[in-house]
Amino acid sequence: MPDPIGLEALEQQIRHDLEIMAYPAQEWVLPCEGAPEPDILNCAIVGGGQYGMASAFSLARECVPDVRVFDGNPSGREGPWVTFARMDMLRTEKHMTNLDIGFPNLTFRAWYEAQFGRDAWDRMYRIPRVMWMDYLVWYRRILGLPVQNDSKVVDIAPVRDDLLRLTVERSGMEEHVLARTVIVSTGTEGLGPRAVPEQVATLPKELWAHSNEMIDMSGFAGRRIGILGSGASAYDAAISAVDAGAASAQICFRRADMPTQNPRRRMENSGYLAHFPELPDGHRWSYLQHLYSIGQGPPEPTFTKAMSYEKISLHPASPWKRIVLMPDASIRVDTGSTTFEFDYLILATGNRADLASRPELSSIVGDIATWGERYTPPPERADARLDGYPYLGRFGEFTEKEPGTAPWLKRVFNISRGADLSLGPLSSSSSNMKYALPRIVKGVTRQLFLDGADAMLDEIVTQTHDELTEDVIKSDAA
Ligand SMILES: Cc1cc2nc3c(=O)[nH]c(=O)nc-3n(C[C@H](O)[C@H](O)[C@H](O)COP(=O)(O)OP(=O)(O)OC[C@H]3O[C@@H](n4cnc5c(N)ncnc54)[C@H](O)[C@@H]3O)c2cc1C
């Protein structure tokens, strides 16, 4: 076989693979009984990033028709990769498998090798960020996934116990879509609002940004940039700022030392990835709390690159205690021990767990149980940062605050960052899709199957299912 084989040859192989692995290819989902409208989705997927797309593909493999994915962003700009992510390469190991759902020819590696050859793959350290987006675009095209872009879901509301109505904003118009199940795959932002210190929020917006925003750095030349946070995004922002011409980028964080430990890597094994959701509440809470407490620093290449820039400096034990806007529009930041002068602030402070801030959940958030309501940790483990996480069921479904009052919630599955406490700290990232995705998909197909329980029993028991016809029996007996 030539190396590289080229994308066309790979795509041919994929079509063949899909055909070989089509069993069981029988349609089975029964229509929604007493449906108020003819067009009802079996599953609506909110978010067309990698999770949303892989969910749509998985459901197609399970012979679930009438699935649609909605994404607020334009085509090719889903997820963080070419919007607000700034790193050179992914943080995850290049060998991860995820969106392929078990088809080797659909992996990033197959896509890469088909174009650049095996040696190039061996030489690659980690997956270049922009190339990951190229792969996602190809994945969507080759599989013909039903993604509707520029379509922001602004509401999910119950219509009946077995039906939900989505309100979708598209080109300034509102459309309504009925769905029997919903997967909410809204990524990092799906956890809740961006964490912005109050004193920063009162500054004029042109003087600061959160790292999850697209930041126009074209005016950064000669400016002093203050960055708050100790994670990878802080370093990515600092590197980008200096590349854009900033005079300095000073990374400040509260911790006395920078985080150097990353037990998440130890948890990238099939034990944790597959079975974390089965752990008792106390264990799950303790894991997340520990991970939150120790933080997560940048990956080694990011750190090394940042430290090779003279204009980037690190300031541990530097909480921003007092922030004052000066008459010359500079910002004075007092840490208690040092005073900095900045021209622009970037907050690499992540998101807070608070579903109430998510517009698409506003109609149902009042019914959704959170960890704070379901689990009381021992006093020494109390942690307000975790209280707002949704308490998900074992298929990633939202659960009811008051049992019996919101039965439609078991049809809404959450695999955004908000799933991390229930399903595992890596559940919403690439490295756990291999295990978390089948869980969610099983939740959806299980629900659709149970919806048809009476009709399916009736069909099997009361209808004929000929295998040996009268003619065959007579002719064989003769
Ligand atoms: C800077 C950064 C770097 C990261 N690097 C890595 C990494 O190297 N490896 C890794 O495994 N993970 C990484 N992650 C985590 C990463 O976000 C996930 O792995 C991955 O993007 C999750 O995919 P997703 O489909 O769940 O969410 P996303 O890729 O974030 O996609 C969510 C989509 O939902 C859409 N959306 C949100 N709300 C709505 C709505 N109401 N209506 C319609 N559409 C909506 C958004 O437009 C977006 O396209 C990183 C995250 C960030 C922020």
Side-chain angles (χ1 to χ4, degrees), residues 7 73 205 278 366:
L7 267 190
N73 283 1
K205 188 63 186 71
E278 318 295 336

Side-chain angles (χ1 to χ4, degrees), residues 292-335:
Y292 254 112
S293 305
I294 64 171
Q296 186 179 15
E300 194 268 340
T302 308
F303 181 72
T304 306
K305 182 173 178 182
M307 293 302 96
S308 73
Y309 283 46
E310 276 180 11
K311 293 176 177 173
I312 297 180
S313 55
L314 292 189
H315 303 277
S318 300
W320 289 0
K321 289 190 171 160
R322 193 153 176 270
I323 299 170
V324 181
L325 179 61
M326 306 306 287
D328 64 354
S330 67
I331 307 153
R332 184 169 288 170
V333 173
D334 187 3
T335 68

Side-chain angles (χ1 to χ4, degrees), residues 47 49-51 71-72 78-79 91-92 153 186-187 358 360 429-430:
Q50 55 192 46
Y51 246 107
D71 199 288
E78 301 85 358
R91 295 165 191 160
T92 325
V153 176
T186 46
R358 297 297 303 172
E360 69 274 5
S429 73
S430 307

Side-chain angles (χ1 to χ4, degrees), residues 9 27 32 36 71 87 139 148 175 201 213 218 226-227 251 259 347 356 409 418-419 427 455 466 472-473:
E27 295 267 317
C32 180
D71 199 288
M87 65 279 188
Y139 176 90
Q148 182 178 313
E175 0 179 289
E213 287 176 58
S218 60
I227 298 168
I251 302 176
L347 307 163
L409 276 185
S427 58
D466 293 340
V472 172
I473 295 167

